[in-house]
Amino acid sequence: MILSAVLLAVLALGLAGWTFARNKARLLYAGRGSMHSMPVYHGWHFALWIVLPGLLAWGVWSVAMPTLVNGSILADPAAAALPADDMQRAAILSEARAIAADPSVFAFDPLSARLADPIRVAEGKWGTIGALLVLICALAGGAHAWTRVRAGFPARTRVERVVMAVLLVVSLMAILTTVGIIGSLVFEAGLFFKDVSPLAFLTGTHWSPANAHGGDISANFGAVPLFWGTIYIGAIIAMFVAIPLGLMSAIYLTQYATRRVRGWFKPLLEILAGVPTVVYGYFAALTVAPKVRDFAAWIGMNNPSTESALAAGLVMGVMIIPFVSSMADDSLAAVPRSMSDGSLALGATRSETIKKVLLPAALPGIVAGVMLAISRAIGETMIVVMAAGASANLSANPFASMTTVTYQIVQMLTGDQEFNNPKTLSAFALGLVLFVVTLILNIIALRVVKRFREAYE
Amino acid sequence: MTDIKLQARNVDVYYGQKKAIDNVSIDIDNGLVTAFIGPSGCGKSTFLRSLNRMNDTIADARVTGEILLDGEDIYAASMDPVALRARVGMVFQKPNPFPKSIYENIAYGPRIHGLAQGKADMDVIVEKSLTQAGLWNEVKDRLNDPGTALSGGQQQRLCIARAVAVSPEVILMDEPCSALDPIATARIEELIDDLRQTYAIVIVTHSMQQAARVSQRTAFFHLGVMVEYGETSEIFTNPREARTKDYITGRYG
Ligand SMILES: Nc1ncnc2c1ncn2[C@@H]1O[C@H](COP(=O)(O)OP(=O)(O)O)[C@@H](O)[C@H]1O
Ligand SMILES: [Mg+2]
């Protein structure tokens, strides 16, 4: 409580300091007419010296205080009655803390009611000490900076340095988050691979985690059907739709469309990219899947399932069209006009020019676009959850129900699972595989694009 | 009289509302090199591009008037621009070989127009074209290397060979040496003089020395108008128009 108040106080001090230092610098400026830094930089320099030490002290104290409070409580005679079991102990202490904060809370355990008072006292004590510490740090920093509000002091350089440091820290945070996520993925997958052999996981063809009991469970975690389903839906069926449609629309837009038509078409295609995947999902499940099933029945399959790889793949292909077409569009546009001029001047028609000069020249960029599209498609979840099904089928029949890596991840992590069971952990192993594949696809694609850009400067 | 290859009559070229060429009439003869000179932006390239209908590929460009190739109106509805461009070839300012092998660069045009029956035929065309462009000896051992791996001057000669390979009647060149060093330029100028025996050649150049060296006829353009046209020697020694004289003597450029 008092700690949040002191935080506000530090900020207020900073604001006041900013004004004071700037005014003092202005007076100096008025007296001498020339200084190293503008008054406002002196203001910032001073304010930063108040706020940053204050914040630092506050941060350290916020982390340290619970330990200190706990220490005080355990020293209290009432705490001697606490049970030895860690979980019960923590439950009572947290109840006591709640009562300390709000006495009207009902105490299930009388012990926690007795501990509430000591907690309140300890929190008060440590809170006050912390607040004083924070204020002292802020004021000490301020005192240090106050002596620096002089004409020759390079406040501007110092402030710039702090700005840079802040930006650095913020960008590091983004990177560290990514590293953390990858780390946890690797760690949990590692736990999974303690129970299941990686070889069996990557090459086994039988996926039935629900039956994984007892001794050797590796045989139930053969993920090949999931990999196959993912590739069949995301990289084969979807690309059968997305590559021709995306490429042709890019060709039309870059080579044939008038500026006005282009002005209409491009935003419309971009809308396609903006449709939430869940909308595609129910479009796939409610509209496309029944049609696909009827078609399967019509061509004589008996008992076709509503869920099918084809339905999911078709809709995913539509979803991916804008990716392919915008990458193809960029690559075609990046081929210098002099190339097509050269071809046209030889008496080639426009479509000959496209086929024989433009497409080969733009091919690397187009391939890269397709790879990015595939990496996007295999990571797509909503459509397959709604339309592809849950059965791990290793089949080339597009009308069969199939499951994918992403679908199984969702399956494994929803519902009330214990965390440390191989079934749940398999989600992390699957996630890791997906991550590695997507990463590789992206890296190759970006390399290719870069090479290609360099070829045309 | 029978030697006139191209005839332009009252040609105007517009980009949207803007008139870039104003009422140009000119006769271009067989067996000669005709040079277009003039300050940059005066419309030389624009006029050159209207001679093989490359202006058609620019969205808002429009050509009016009459241009006759062997007496036939090239803007007539019956004229196929694709067939026309096979007869009137073009070499651009910046060498623009296709990102294909040297061989494929040359074979591209003949293949499109079905000029070769089989591989042996094509080999003959490729060798002949490269020889005409004075490049054969330099590249005969590496026909499968990419065309873009050649030097700038070689690339430009490759582009000339590529144009020659479809047996055009006229070759248009838009500042073909402006991206080249003096030695490569000299080679191309020699080449132009050789090619003149076989093709009518129109060359745009910003270098008056070049026009004087390679051409027999010169047309001086200024602000979209053709100011003066005549024998190159006449234009350079004894121009009729004051504007031509000013330009030639370097009063402006
Ligand atoms: N594609 C185009 N669109 C619009 N205006 C153009 C285009 N190309 C050239 N122009 C204009 O036409 C005029 C003549 O250009 P150009 O024929 O390139 O001159 P030159 O080749 O003599 O330097 C210039 O004013 C130029 O700005
Ligand atoms: Mg020009």
Side-chain angles (χ1 to χ4, degrees):
Chain A
M1 209 36 230
I2 186 164
L3 272 185
S4 357
V6 86
L7 193 61
L8 282 178
V10 166
L11 291 179
L13 269 178
L15 186 64
W18 187 87
T19 322
F20 274 128
R22 193 194 50 168
N23 288 347
K24 183 177 168 195
R26 272 194 185 158
L27 288 179
L28 285 172
Y29 188 70
R32 294 179 38 127
S34 100
M35 284 169 78
H36 178 279
S37 308
M38 295 293 286
V40 66
Y41 282 107
H42 284 279
W44 279 115
H45 182 254
F46 187 51
L48 285 170
W49 264 103
I50 293 172
V51 173
L52 288 182
L55 278 182
L56 198 67
W58 185 83
V60 169
W61 199 258
S62 306
V63 173
M65 200 166 107
T67 324
L68 294 171
V69 172
N70 255 3
S72 297
I73 311 238
L74 296 182
D76 191 277
L82 275 171
D85 181 78
D86 273 344
M87 277 220 323
Q88 290 176 24
R89 228 186 165 128
I92 293 175
L93 280 177
S94 90
E95 194 174 58
R97 230 170 272 133
I99 298 170
D102 176 6
S104 68
V105 169
F106 176 76
F108 283 97
D109 192 310
L111 184 56
S112 52
R114 265 186 292 138
L115 278 172
D117 263 337
I119 285 189
R120 208 170 307 139
V121 172
E123 278 185 344
K125 181 178 89 179
W126 290 113
T128 315
I129 293 176
L132 282 176
L133 200 71
V134 170
L135 280 181
I136 287 170
C137 285
L139 291 176
H144 169 84
W146 188 246
T147 63
R148 302 270 189 295
V149 189
R150 309 184 297 254
F153 183 72
R156 168 165 47 82
T157 343
R158 300 293 169 84
V159 171
E160 290 293 338
R161 222 175 285 161
V162 172
V163 169
M164 193 199 73
V166 168
L167 293 177
L168 179 70
V169 167
V170 171
S171 57
L172 274 181
M173 260 188 239
I175 295 173
L176 285 179
T177 314
T178 317
V179 170
I181 291 174
I182 296 171
S184 91
L185 206 54
V186 171
F187 176 75
E188 305 288 352
L191 290 182
F192 173 73
F193 287 128
K194 270 195 197 135
D195 295 327
V196 175
S197 102
L199 193 68
F201 174 72
L202 290 174
T203 60
T205 57
H206 180 71
W207 180 263
S208 59
N211 304 332
H213 307 293
D216 187 21
I217 53 173
S218 286
N220 294 313
F221 284 101
V224 169
L226 315 192
F227 300 149
W228 167 245
T230 306
I231 290 170
Y232 196 47
I233 294 175
I236 299 178
I237 300 178
M239 290 305 135
F240 259 101
V241 177
I243 293 175
L245 292 182
L247 198 55
M248 284 194 255
S249 68
I251 290 174
Y252 173 73
L253 286 177
T254 54
Q255 306 300 316
Y256 291 98
T258 62
R259 200 172 299 146
R260 240 188 61 192
V261 173
R262 200 175 149 83
W264 277 98
F265 263 55
K266 281 210 76 146
L268 284 176
L269 263 177
E270 271 146 28
I271 289 179
L272 209 55
V275 176
T277 57
V278 67
V279 174
Y280 281 112
Y282 63 69
F283 175 63
L286 302 181
T287 313
V288 179
K291 298 246 164 30
V292 169
R293 183 203 49 207
D294 294 347
F295 180 76
W298 182 72
I299 62 171
M301 282 189 48
N302 51 24
N303 228 348
S305 75
T306 316
E307 292 163 333
S308 64
L310 188 59
L314 288 177
V315 175
M316 201 182 280
V318 173
M319 183 188 92
I320 295 297
I321 289 174
F323 283 79
V324 176
S325 89
S326 86
M327 283 293 286
D329 195 317
D330 289 349
S331 335
L332 284 169
V335 179
R337 199 190 142 103
S338 65
M339 285 296 129
S340 53
D341 276 354
S343 169
L344 293 170
L346 285 168
T349 63
R350 200 159 263 275
S351 67
E352 282 165 345
T353 302
I354 291 166
K355 205 167 61 200
K356 300 207 173 135
V357 175
L358 285 177
L359 283 181
L363 193 64
I366 295 170
V367 170
V370 169
M371 280 166 133
L372 288 181
I374 290 179
S375 88
R376 174 77 215 233
I378 64 178
E380 165 52 35
T381 312
M382 226 49 225
I383 295 176
V384 290
V385 166
M386 294 170 87
S391 41
N393 261 328
L394 192 57
S395 148
N397 176 2
F399 299 104
S401 159
M402 252 174 234
T403 195
T404 67
V405 172
T406 48
Y407 183 100
Q408 290 301 320
I409 292 176
V410 172
Q411 280 277 293
M412 296 304 139
L413 290 181
T414 45
D416 45 355
Q417 305 277 354
E418 304 163 46
F419 202 69
N420 280 337
N421 127 351
K423 216 179 132 188
T424 319
L425 288 175
S426 71
F428 292 94
L430 290 172
L432 188 63
V433 172
L434 197 59
F435 170 73
V436 170
V437 171
T438 320
L439 187 70
I440 292 174
L441 279 174
N442 280 315
I443 289 175
I444 298 178
L446 293 181
R447 281 264 163 97
V448 171
V449 170
K450 193 158 159 258
R451 208 50 81 68
F452 172 67
R453 292 267 150 78
E454 279 164 4
Y456 293 115
E457 281 131 308
Chain B
M1 186 59 209
T2 51
D3 251 14
I4 298 176
K5 188 71 193 170
L6 272 169
Q7 253 179 318
R9 290 283 163 267
N10 310 104
V11 171
D12 293 337
V13 183
Y14 300 83
Y15 291 112
Q17 296 303 313
K18 190 177 152 231
K19 199 172 198 176
I21 285 291
D22 184 10
N23 195 23
V24 170
S25 300
I26 188 173
D27 291 351
I28 291 166
D29 282 4
N30 254 328
L32 296 182
V33 176
T34 305
F36 293 172
I37 62 170
S40 82
C42 69
K44 306 179 296 289
S45 301
T46 300
F47 184 63
L48 192 73
R49 280 197 303 266
S50 61
L51 298 179
N52 68 342
R53 292 188 60 173
M54 278 301 280
N55 279 332
D56 292 15
T57 66
I58 298 171
D60 52 359
R62 193 159 51 82
V63 179
T64 65
E66 228 177 17
I67 298 176
L68 309 176
L69 175 66
D70 289 336
E72 215 185 327
D73 184 2
I74 67 170
Y75 283 91
S78 58
M79 175 63 79
D80 174 11
V82 166
L84 169 72
R85 289 185 204 131
R87 292 171 65 191
V88 183
M90 189 161 200
V91 175
F92 296 83
Q93 184 163 0
K94 208 173 142 235
N96 58 347
F98 301 130
K100 300 172 186 284
S101 71
I102 295 172
Y103 186 96
E104 285 302 318
N105 262 280
I106 308 294
Y108 181 80
R111 197 168 283 147
I112 281 175
H113 298 294
L115 299 184
Q117 271 74 45
K119 166 96 172 114
D121 232 9
M122 186 64 87
D123 289 351
V124 172
I125 294 182
V126 169
E127 178 173 352
K128 186 167 151 253
S129 311
L130 284 169
T131 310
Q132 271 191 296
L135 195 58
W136 176 249
N137 285 329
E138 289 158 61
V139 301
K140 62 175 181 236
D141 300 322
R142 47 178 183 140
L143 291 175
N144 290 320
D145 286 9
T148 44
L150 297 171
S151 75
Q154 289 173 324
Q155 288 190 16
Q156 195 61 301
R157 277 182 281 148
L158 181 66
C159 292
I160 293 175
R162 184 174 74 181
V164 162
V166 294
S167 311
E169 299 156 32
V170 182
I171 299 179
L172 310 174
M173 300 187 177
D174 191 352
E175 303 196 22
C177 302
S178 67
L180 305 182
D181 62 65
I183 294 174
T185 301
R187 292 221 51 179
I188 303 247
E189 288 178 2
E190 274 170 43
L191 178 59
I192 291 172
D193 204 50
D194 294 342
L195 293 174
R196 152 166 94 86
Q197 317 301 329
T198 328
Y199 314 96
I201 292 178
V202 184
I203 179 172
V204 169
T205 172
H206 61 253
S207 147
M208 285 170 291
Q209 293 88 333
Q210 183 169 63
R213 282 193 301 263
V214 302
S215 74
Q216 289 73 47
R217 297 278 167 79
T218 297
F220 171 60
F221 284 77
H222 187 226
L223 298 176
V225 177
M226 191 177 74
V227 177
E228 186 166 353
Y229 176 49
E231 299 290 328
T232 300
S233 51
E234 279 290 303
I235 297 266
F236 278 92
T237 55
N238 192 14
R240 287 188 304 274
E241 297 280 334
R243 274 180 292 174
T244 317
K245 190 168 175 205
D246 286 347
Y247 183 70
I248 307 261
T249 54
R251 213 72 74 73
Y252 57 70

